[in-house]
Amino acid sequence: MSRSKRKTPIMGFTSCHSEKQDKKLWHKCWRSKQRMALRSPHLLDWEAISPILEREISDVWAMGKDGKQYFAFYRQHHLAERLVAEHAKNQREKINLKQRYLHQFMAK
């Protein structure tokens, strides 16, 4: 997996490293609501029982990653050049850093 590469440069807006906690909380709430719906008094009336939809429990925009955006290649190069200009000392280091940043941008 260390060599896997992103086919399209679409990345998430993120303010967190992972959405694991958000997803765990969402699934816990969803399962409890499903259990309560199945315990309701009209259990024998199968048409009255409707599945609980994802959007009834939580909003994906309230999670750690707020959505996705296309990160064009020319913007990746521009950002890599800006970051290299801040950190690199000589020409060889600039080339290596730029390649590393571009590789990180397209990694999964």
Side-chain angles (χ1 to χ4, degrees), residues 59 67 76-77 85 95 106:
D59 185 17
Q76 291 179 24
H77 284 278
I95 293 169
M106 289 305 290

Side-chain angles (χ1 to χ4, degrees), residues 59-76:
D59 185 17
V60 293
W61 292 96
M63 291 186 179
K65 291 183 183 172
D66 287 338
K68 295 184 178 184
Q69 178 185 16
Y70 183 78
F71 191 26
F73 294 113
Y74 73 90
R75 289 183 53 216
Q76 291 179 24

Side-chain angles (χ1 to χ4, degrees), residues 2-73:
S2 65
R3 294 187 189 133
S4 61
K5 192 172 180 180
R6 192 182 304 266
K7 290 181 178 63
T8 56
I10 297 176
M11 298 169 198
F13 292 123
T14 181
S15 59
C16 67
H17 183 68
S18 174
E19 285 186 313
K20 185 176 181 178
Q21 281 299 109
D22 293 333
K23 290 179 180 180
K24 282 173 69 173
L25 290 172
W26 178 84
H27 280 99
K28 183 179 179 181
C29 183
W30 183 76
R31 284 191 304 269
S32 70
K33 288 202 182 252
Q34 284 286 68
R35 269 189 248 112
M36 289 176 65
L38 290 174
R39 289 180 188 158
S40 65
H42 57 275
L43 184 61
L44 298 175
D45 186 12
W46 289 104
E47 293 175 1
I49 299 174
S50 62
I52 296 174
L53 302 175
E54 295 176 6
R55 294 179 191 250
E56 292 178 19
I57 306 297
S58 175
D59 185 17
V60 293
W61 292 96
M63 291 186 179
K65 291 183 183 172
D66 287 338
K68 295 184 178 184
Q69 178 185 16
Y70 183 78
F71 191 26
F73 294 113

